[in-house]
């Protein structure tokens, strides 16, 4: 554990996960119900003991242990990312090279991941049948709801499904163009997956990671931006746009509002506007009260 932490630089949460696994194995070995201790005494003249204790393991002391450098995209950075992804499609196709279909797919995937606040695996596991109409928002047509079947699960539990409502009209245009015009040109177009790869039924997580490593680096956006930053951006931009926090929490599938608050990276301008509205409302209410008293 010391080597993993001090030499290899693993995160505290990773070290704790490893130590918990070792502790569970030692609990199994030393449990009298399984009689491993007596069997070891008979065979080797000694017995197993628990080696993981509170004093030599990483303690979970706070709810949020994420890397503080991770953040959301600003609106300008997000627009630059999407523009660059689109330009890559044009550049590759104009050069007569292979790969423009994959570049188009990845550009659409990044936009859909942001448009629905999806995790990397959630967006990779989407199928064509995972979109449907929302009877309360007919303007979105057949893309009013995104059914996420492979949501993040608790440890030892199956994937947690949820439905994400479409909130931005542009996401439906992205999906329509990809599904109707470009996806049929993919070699694996017969796959049920929304994002087939060039050689398989479904895009791999490593391919997704590569795109969102290469593009921000090419744009010089600096550290702290990864695929999960799209999800942070979704939460942040909805909150800044005035959407109800409970609605945002349900959209991203968080059990607790405190988790959603960790994802929210509102700008100083947003806080200033919020403060100004609150102060103006207070002053207006005070003025009305004084006029009433007169």
């Amino acid at each position: 554990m010391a080597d993993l932490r001090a030499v290899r630089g693993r995160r505290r949460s990773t070290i704790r996960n490893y130590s918990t696994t070792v502790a569970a194995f030692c609990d199994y070995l030393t449990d009298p119900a399984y009689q491993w201790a007596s069997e070891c005494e008979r065979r080797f003249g000694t017995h197993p003991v628990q080696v993981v204790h509170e004093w030599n393991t990483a303690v979970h002391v706070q709810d949020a242990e994420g890397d503080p450098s991770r953040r959301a995209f600003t609106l300008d950075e997000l627009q630059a990312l999407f523009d660059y992804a689109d330009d890559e499609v044009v550049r590759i196709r104009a050069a007569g090279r292979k790969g423009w279909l994959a570049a188009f797919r990845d550009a659409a995937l990044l936009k859909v991941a942001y448009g629905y606040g999806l995790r990397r695996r959630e967006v990779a596991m989407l199928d064509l049948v995972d979109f449907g109409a929302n009877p309360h928002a007919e303007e979105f047509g057949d893309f009013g709801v995104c059914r996420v079947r492979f949501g993040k699960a608790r440890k030892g539990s199956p994937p947690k499904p949820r439905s994400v409502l479409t909130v931005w009209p542009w996401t439906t245009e992205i999906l329509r163009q990809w599904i109707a015009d470009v996806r049929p040109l993919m070699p694996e177009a017969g796959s049920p997956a929304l994002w087939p790869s060039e050689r398989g039924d479904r895009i791999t997580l490593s391919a997704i990671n590569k795109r969102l490593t290469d593009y921000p680096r090419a744009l010089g956006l600096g550290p702290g931006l990864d695929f999960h930053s799209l999800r942070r951006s979704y939460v942040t931009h909805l909150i800044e746009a005035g959407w109800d926090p409970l609605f945002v929490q349900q959209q991203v599938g968080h059990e607790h509002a405190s988790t959603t608050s960790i994802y929210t990276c509102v700008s100083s301008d947003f806080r200033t506007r919020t403060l100004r509205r609150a102060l103006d409302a207070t002053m207006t209410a005070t003025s009305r009260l004084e006029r009433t008293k007169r």
Side-chain angles (χ1 to χ4, degrees):
M1 297 302 169
D3 173 74
L4 289 172
R5 181 63 176 170
V7 179
R8 305 190 189 189
R10 296 295 185 266
R11 299 194 183 281
R12 191 176 186 85
S13 57
T14 301
I15 304 300
R16 186 172 58 252
N17 190 42
Y18 285 158
S19 62
T20 301
T21 302
V22 174
F25 178 67
C26 290
D27 282 341
Y28 163 68
L29 287 180
T30 57
D31 193 324
Y34 300 105
Q35 301 182 1
W36 285 116
S38 58
E39 184 67 17
C40 288
E41 283 281 6
R42 185 180 69 81
R43 289 173 177 260
F44 311 114
T46 186
H47 58 85
V49 297
Q50 178 62 263
V51 296
V52 179
H53 305 283
E54 190 172 319
W55 56 269
N56 66 355
T57 55
V59 181
H60 193 168
V61 295
Q62 62 183 19
D63 292 334
E65 293 188 319
D67 186 344
S69 68
R70 300 302 180 192
R71 63 178 178 85
F73 288 90
T74 66
L75 287 172
D76 289 340
E77 288 173 337
L78 199 63
Q79 187 62 58
L81 175 68
F82 293 161
D83 289 344
Y84 185 85
D86 291 339
D87 290 342
E88 280 292 282
V89 180
V90 176
R91 182 184 64 80
I92 294 172
R93 192 171 188 182
R97 293 168 44 199
K98 295 180 179 180
W100 75 269
L101 286 173
F104 193 106
R105 174 203 61 203
D106 295 347
L109 184 150
L110 295 179
K111 296 170 188 175
V112 169
Y114 166 71
Y116 290 96
L118 303 180
R119 300 178 178 90
R120 182 184 55 174
R121 186 166 184 264
E122 291 174 350
V123 71
M125 295 303 293
L126 286 176
D127 285 348
L128 291 169
V129 297
D130 289 331
F131 290 90
N134 179 357
H136 303 290
E138 296 180 354
E139 61 267 38
F140 296 130
D142 294 332
F143 301 101
V145 181
C146 174
R147 299 182 183 89
V148 178
R149 293 179 292 112
F150 288 85
K152 184 178 180 180
R154 290 185 177 182
K155 191 173 182 179
S157 301
K160 181 181 178 182
R162 73 177 186 280
S163 293
V164 185
L165 304 181
T166 302
V167 296
W168 293 312
W170 59 262
T171 55
T172 65
E173 297 304 318
I174 297 296
L175 286 165
R176 287 192 186 99
Q177 185 181 22
W178 164 247
I179 294 173
D181 300 334
V182 183
R183 188 184 178 280
L185 304 177
M186 294 289 290
E188 300 293 334
S191 165
L194 179 63
W195 317 108
S197 72
E198 303 91 317
R199 301 180 183 85
D201 291 342
R202 191 180 302 276
I203 191 173
T204 62
L205 299 184
S206 60
I208 296 175
N209 281 345
K210 188 176 187 309
R211 289 293 188 192
L212 207 50
T213 299
D214 293 346
Y215 287 0
R217 182 182 297 156
L219 289 167
L221 296 181
L225 296 172
D226 55 9
F227 192 88
H228 215 66
S229 294
L230 294 173
R231 183 170 164 87
R232 297 185 189 96
S233 304
Y234 176 81
V235 171
T236 298
H237 298 159
L238 283 182
I239 293 296
E240 288 191 334
W243 290 80
D244 186 271
L246 178 58
F247 173 81
V248 178
Q249 176 188 339
Q250 293 173 342
Q251 286 281 93
V252 294
H254 287 157
E255 186 173 351
H256 303 291
S258 57
T259 307
T260 309
S261 68
I262 295 172
Y263 279 67
T264 307
C265 311
V266 295
S267 65
S268 57
D269 288 342
F270 170 77
R271 293 194 297 270
T272 300
R273 291 196 305 270
T274 302
L275 174 63
R276 188 69 266 164
R277 283 198 301 269
L279 293 175
D280 290 345
T282 301
M283 293 300 295
T284 300
T286 302
S287 298
R288 289 175 179 172
L289 181 61
E290 290 178 351
R291 288 196 298 269
T292 302
K293 289 180 178 179
R294 291 173 186 173

